[in-house]
Amino acid sequence: MPGEPAKKQRRGEYQVSLEENEGKLPQKKFYRQRAHANPFSDHSLTYPKCPEEMDWASYYPAYAVQNQDEQKQEQRTESESHDQHPVPPEDAPSKAISKPVEIADIGCGFGGLLFALAPKFPDTLILGMEIRTSVTSYVQDKVRALRAQNTSTSSFQNVSCIRANTMKFLPNFFSKAQLSKIFLCFPDPHFKQRKHKARIVSYTLNSEYAYVLKPGGMVYTITDVKDLHEWMVGHLEKHPSFERVKDEELESDACVEIMRQETEEGKKVERNKGEKFVAVFRRMKDPPWP
Amino acid sequence: MNFPYQCLEACNRSTGDRNEWLLFGGCGSDLVIQSSSGESSVWPPQKDESDVVDEPQEPPGKKIKLSPSNERTSTFACLKVSNDKKHVVAITSEDKYIRVFKIDSKCRLQQLSERCMARRPCALALTPDDETILCADKFGDVYALPLIAPADDGQNGTEPGEATDTAPQKEFSPAASILTVHSGSNRKVLEEQMKQASKGKVKTKEPLKFKHDLLLGHVSMLTDIAFTTVDGKGYILTADRDEHIRISRGPPQAHIIERFCQGHDEFVSRLCLTASGLLVSGGGDPDLLIWDWMKSRLLQKVCIRNAISAHLKGQAHLTTRVPEDEDTFKIAVSGIWHKPDSQQEDSFLVACEGIPALVYVKLGPQVLLETIGLKGNALDVSFIQLSDSTWTVVVSVDNVHNPGSTTEVREDELDAELDWFDRRAPAMTRNAQSRDAGTGGETGGGSSRRVDEKAVRNVLYGIENLRKRAGGDEQE
């Protein structure tokens, strides 16, 4: 494509200038990327073999487990329950953090929701997950800048972003019943009928959301595409692990308002005076075996 | 050159006071059956009589997708005998059919049903009560189908467990409004839809006209499925190309994921449950992984790659198959079979794609690994019980390609496509060599199946292709 090398060069130069200035917020125009990704292709993703192998400390350095002994202790108790992973050698840098991630924004885009949620849940670790490389870099650069700007208050230490294909690898990052909230904001509608399995909500994929969510945990969905809204509602309602949260209950939920106002797409829809459709579901307790 | 037996299955049954074994072999698009009493038959029946026999067996009201039936080229990919030994369930790949056959007392096969799935099935499991077929497909989904299709199947268009995506759209309405925020390509799709709307009805895929419930799905290609019962609770184990082994509850709670067994670095291609209930999984890794799957606990890794490379290097004509740097030697597990005669010990046989040997593994404080050389690449394995204490292993070998290769066509004629072994614990010694299954091969009624080598390769060797290539497309 003509113009490609120039673009690459501009972005490269921009990265250098950004690195020189720690607290400088990144500009979106240097990170734009095509809106669609094929969730079925292999990409060149990096992902941990299992949640215990995830290097969380590099994403949430303020929560890194410092004390080596303490860490080993923790790993040992961990090992007793799972035990598939040997305790790392003593000189290995700590990968563990003191508390698990509890909120995931799947398809976080440029991270509008993340940065709005972070101050609302200062003691909860929030993770954005995005399949597009440069969009992920934008959020990561913004996290770095915001942390640098707020060293005195340690704000934004609880928010981070990784590149991931969650449709394939969600259970590689989170263990059973780890999360309390999952956000699915303005997902790719995949209009073509034959691409419907690429949608982020489907009956079969909902089982994975149920797996990583605690009983009582929530799935938040929002879209401006009515067809997709009905699809998501239909597939979540059909799944026995989820029940829809009533509209009255949503009024008191701050997350819904943030989701409507703070996401990039949410703002765009607002400017276009379009409609926004919200549906929230609660993960129920598993029934006893039949 | 004949088509090799790409899949095998065997069972022992007693009819009246007679005990016999039956051996089934998928040979290209033929299903060959042979019994110890000397009876044998081939399905589909030979061409001249096929018109008479085929049609009336269809369940009433069933709509058949008419493919030119005497030119059927779809190959058998998987065979499974029901627990009561009365039926065989088969997958034929290219036409995406699940076929159920009744085995009669004279060792003939009568096709009871053929159900065309939406996506190509790749593995089968049966529930212990033989009521339900679990079918895993290339698109990552698992469906439950009744073994015996109910009489009114076909008229019954409702699909309770099915996702709405197959429901035909009654009236067209575009998926989004003009107020929707769009990317360029979404806008294009929407415009297409608008255009289509002005032309009239949208063509949607015909929904499947038989009972089939969607149980679970991975966003990946499924490679194997197993069903087992522990303390009265049913479990479905599924393996995929993205290194996952998922443990779900059995129906009617198959939507609940109990746990994952995570530890593979490459695709998982085969699952096998041992006598004591351990799970053995293999795929593109050098090791087999041994699991206490009820606790997601990895107990052991058994490196079979080194056993195989040692075996190859020990044979003059195979030495070159192992690269200089042995660490770059890759294997792809194509089969793991638990030995049925070992109730007390966990022992099994393993085959890898394009390897003219089987690996015998016996677990224990000291893992026993032994390779058994073959005259051609191992394709499938089955076990036949000859008497209370003797079992024979039947191995189908590739007679088309050179041993150790999945691409070079062999020059020599292999005298038989099946290799038989006796088992003498703990080692396995070759006994009667190279007996043919009678009806297979030469006696196939003059229909000399000259085979297209490339077609054979595609049928036999698809597992190594599951391996991910470095540097996937970033932008896609």
Side-chain angles (χ1 to χ4, degrees):
Chain A
M1 203 190 285
E4 266 309 280
K7 184 169 124 189
K8 208 168 189 178
Q9 193 187 354
R10 263 203 317 276
R11 290 192 173 188
E13 285 164 5
Y14 176 73
Q15 273 301 321
V16 173
S17 75
L18 202 63
E19 274 155 35
E20 282 164 1
N21 190 347
E22 231 193 347
K24 196 179 158 203
L25 285 173
Q27 286 177 275
K28 273 181 208 157
K29 65 175 180 186
F30 293 107
Y31 299 88
R32 294 270 175 218
Q33 197 175 353
R34 167 171 194 276
H36 311 281
N38 177 1
F40 304 120
S41 82
D42 290 338
H43 302 282
S44 40
L45 290 164
T46 47
Y47 47 89
K49 219 187 275 184
C50 56
E52 294 77 6
E53 286 192 8
M54 178 66 193
D55 181 11
W56 289 114
S58 64
Y59 291 91
Y60 301 97
Y63 293 84
V65 177
Q66 295 298 328
N67 190 316
Q68 282 285 323
D69 292 331
E70 223 172 79
Q71 181 205 347
K72 261 169 33 192
Q73 200 68 40
E74 206 157 299
Q75 292 241 349
R76 202 159 292 143
T77 45
E78 183 94 15
S79 308
E80 267 149 30
S81 51
H82 301 276
D83 200 57
Q84 68 232 62
H85 316 289
V87 178
E90 298 203 12
D91 53 347
S94 165
K95 289 178 172 183
I97 43 176
S98 56
K99 57 164 84 178
V101 171
E102 277 201 47
I103 298 178
D105 181 6
I106 293 176
C108 67
F110 286 95
L113 180 81
L114 295 174
F115 299 112
L117 287 176
K120 289 270 180 194
F121 297 93
D123 299 318
T124 307
L125 298 193
I126 304 165
L127 183 68
M129 305 174 95
E130 172 59 49
I131 197 167
R132 291 167 295 165
T133 329
S134 55
V135 178
T136 310
S137 309
Y138 170 84
V139 180
Q140 287 168 342
D141 288 344
K142 189 164 171 182
V143 166
R144 201 173 306 128
L146 286 172
R147 283 177 182 170
Q149 286 174 10
N150 295 279
T151 39
S152 54
T153 57
S154 318
S155 312
F156 299 103
Q157 292 292 342
N158 62 332
V159 63
S160 192
C161 179
I162 53 168
R163 176 174 185 232
N165 178 351
T166 61
M167 292 178 68
K168 277 177 184 280
F169 300 110
L170 201 58
N172 291 57
F173 292 97
F174 306 122
S175 51
K176 190 176 184 175
Q178 177 178 337
L179 299 181
S180 53
K181 292 178 199 300
I182 291 175
F183 287 89
L184 303 168
C185 301
F186 299 97
D188 189 336
H190 289 288
F191 289 125
K192 282 183 192 161
Q193 192 137 36
R194 66 180 176 84
K195 290 231 175 140
H196 281 178
K197 194 168 171 163
R199 285 180 166 173
I200 198 83
V201 167
S202 66
Y203 176 79
T204 54
L205 198 48
N206 292 348
S207 290
E208 292 205 10
Y209 299 135
Y211 171 79
V212 295
L213 276 173
K214 299 177 208 285
M218 303 283 226
V219 175
Y220 293 82
T221 72
I222 185 168
T223 177
D224 58 327
V225 181
K226 188 151 182 268
D227 188 59
L228 178 64
H229 169 69
E230 283 163 5
W231 166 281
M232 293 196 291
V233 169
H235 281 248
L236 279 158
E237 272 177 348
K238 198 163 56 200
H239 198 287
S241 297
F242 291 98
E243 65 172 0
R244 187 156 181 189
V245 178
K246 297 210 170 60
D247 286 348
E248 302 92 84
E249 207 178 315
L250 295 185
E251 281 164 22
S252 58
D253 191 333
C255 292
V256 174
E257 207 39 41
I258 295 175
M259 183 167 73
R260 281 175 165 281
Q261 305 306 332
E262 301 293 342
T263 53
E264 311 292 320
E265 298 284 319
K267 286 175 186 163
K268 242 190 267 179
V269 176
E270 201 74 44
R271 286 198 296 273
N272 283 15
K273 301 201 167 36
E275 263 184 291
K276 284 179 243 181
F277 305 95
V278 171
V280 181
F281 289 81
R282 183 180 289 110
R283 195 253 196 251
M284 294 186 292
K285 240 175 90 180
D286 285 339
W289 284 76
Chain B
M1 205 180 294
N2 295 317
F3 210 101
Y5 290 98
Q6 70 270 19
C7 54
L8 285 182
E9 172 77 330
C11 70
N12 280 77
R13 68 169 185 182
S14 38
T15 43
D17 52 351
R18 193 171 59 157
N19 279 318
E20 62 174 357
W21 52 253
L22 301 174
L23 182 62
F24 306 85
C27 180
S29 57
D30 288 345
L31 177 52
V32 178
I33 169 170
Q34 154 97 20
S35 80
S36 51
S37 357
E39 277 152 343
S40 65
S41 67
V42 181
W43 189 95
Q46 296 307 301
K47 275 170 196 166
D48 48 324
E49 53 193 36
S50 67
D51 294 340
V52 197
V53 190
D54 253 346
E55 300 306 316
Q57 291 169 5
E58 293 306 321
K62 182 156 168 53
K63 198 179 164 191
I64 315 155
K65 257 195 189 166
L66 279 174
S67 54
S69 60
N70 46 358
E71 282 298 317
R72 209 174 52 83
T73 51
S74 199
T75 49
F76 283 89
C78 178
L79 301 171
K80 198 133 258 170
V81 175
S82 63
N83 299 296
D84 64 9
K85 330 274 194 224
K86 287 181 180 154
H87 298 97
V88 189
V89 187
I91 292 171
T92 46
S93 340
E94 293 84 353
D95 60 8
K96 302 185 283 191
Y97 272 94
I98 292 186
R99 299 169 186 275
V100 177
F101 298 93
K102 197 176 151 198
I103 315 165
D104 74 8
S105 56
K106 292 225 175 72
C107 195
R108 283 173 311 208
L109 294 172
Q110 185 197 355
Q111 183 173 286
L112 299 181
S113 65
E114 48 175 24
R115 285 169 273 188
C116 182
M117 303 304 289
R119 306 278 170 181
R120 186 185 284 203
C122 54
L124 287 177
L126 276 167
T127 52
D129 59 8
D130 282 336
E131 294 273 322
T132 309
I133 303 168
L134 303 176
C135 165
D137 70 29
K138 298 249 174 200
F139 215 44
D141 293 327
V142 175
Y143 288 93
L145 291 82
L147 178 74
I148 305 300
D152 62 343
D153 222 18
Q155 271 90 345
N156 185 2
T158 53
E159 296 164 6
E162 175 70 324
T164 47
D165 55 349
T166 49
Q169 276 185 324
K170 282 186 197 86
E171 218 171 274
F172 176 81
S173 61
S177 74
I178 37 162
L179 293 178
T180 314
V181 176
H182 286 298
S183 66
S185 62
N186 269 346
R187 200 172 291 128
K188 251 180 252 160
V189 175
L190 195 65
E191 275 164 20
E192 289 283 297
Q193 290 189 353
M194 297 284 199
K195 247 187 255 167
Q196 189 69 45
S198 59
K199 273 189 229 159
K201 258 185 117 181
V202 218
K203 257 198 217 158
T204 49
K205 221 175 182 181
E206 281 241 329
L208 304 184
K209 286 193 174 141
F210 51 84
K211 184 171 160 53
H212 64 291
D213 297 325
L214 178 62
L215 296 186
L216 59 97
H218 299 213
V219 180
S220 181
M221 191 188 284
L222 286 179
T223 52
D224 206 1
I225 183 167
F227 184 93
T228 189
T229 311
V230 179
D231 300 329
K233 298 168 178 171
Y235 293 89
I236 300 172
L237 288 70
T238 39
D240 74 25
R241 184 176 168 251
D242 289 294
E243 309 99 36
H244 295 118
I245 300 168
R246 186 195 283 193
I247 319 286
S248 308
R249 290 190 187 181
Q253 294 183 342
H255 64 277
I256 298 176
I257 300 173
E258 284 289 322
R259 62 191 74 89
F260 287 87
C261 291
Q262 296 165 315
H264 279 280
D265 289 311
E266 294 285 346
F267 63 86
V268 187
S269 53
R270 290 294 178 265
L271 301 175
C272 175
L273 290 157
T274 67
S276 70
L278 299 179
L279 173 67
V280 183
S281 60
D285 287 321
D287 303 308
L288 295 177
L289 270 52
I290 316 292
W291 302 91
D292 176 357
W293 60 274
M294 287 288 282
K295 296 193 176 104
S296 292
R297 218 160 112 165
L298 177 61
L299 301 176
Q300 208 169 9
K301 288 186 172 193
V302 177
C303 183
I304 53 164
R305 192 212 27 211
N306 294 356
I308 290 170
S309 62
H311 173 82
L312 295 180
K313 285 203 298 194
Q315 316 268 317
H317 63 296
L318 296 172
T319 320
T320 53
R321 303 289 176 199
V322 185
E324 288 281 312
D325 179 5
E326 273 186 57
D327 287 339
T328 64
F329 181 49
K330 289 191 167 59
I331 56 163
V333 172
S334 59
I336 309 172
W337 300 271
H338 160 239
K339 268 195 333 62
D341 57 337
S342 51
Q343 292 307 313
Q344 304 306 318
E345 55 181 47
D346 284 330
S347 58
F348 45 88
L349 289 170
V350 187
C352 294
E353 219 168 63
I355 302 294
L358 293 173
V359 185
Y360 169 69
V361 183
K362 188 177 155 196
L363 298 178
Q366 195 87 50
V367 177
L368 179 75
L369 272 178
E370 217 176 279
T371 49
I372 306 160
L374 301 168
K375 290 180 172 179
N377 301 331
L379 299 177
D380 204 352
V381 165
S382 231
F383 299 87
I384 284 174
Q385 188 166 21
L386 299 176
S387 71
D388 286 348
S389 54
T390 26
W391 287 78
T392 280
V393 184
V394 185
V395 187
S396 81
V397 289
D398 183 353
N399 57 317
V400 174
H401 299 97
N402 271 332
S405 167
T406 58
T407 49
E408 301 165 16
V409 178
R410 67 195 294 162
E411 312 254 289
D412 60 326
E413 281 277 324
L414 197 61
D415 45 357
E417 296 140 1
L418 295 182
D419 217 341
W420 299 53
F421 301 94
D422 241 18
R423 196 202 73 86
R424 300 195 208 296
M428 303 183 101
T429 27
R430 187 179 300 226
N431 184 20
Q433 272 193 9
S434 318
R435 264 166 57 194
D436 199 84
T439 53
E442 287 72 34
T443 53
S447 63
S448 68
R449 290 164 292 226
R450 290 292 307 178
V451 293
D452 169 13
E453 185 275 324
K454 210 172 159 192
V456 179
R457 191 197 316 161
N458 289 339
V459 169
L460 301 185
Y461 302 115
I463 294 179
E464 178 57 38
N465 287 340
L466 296 173
R467 199 179 299 277
K468 294 178 187 172
R469 280 156 191 83
D473 190 358
E474 276 295 311
Q475 295 301 316
E476 258 308 306

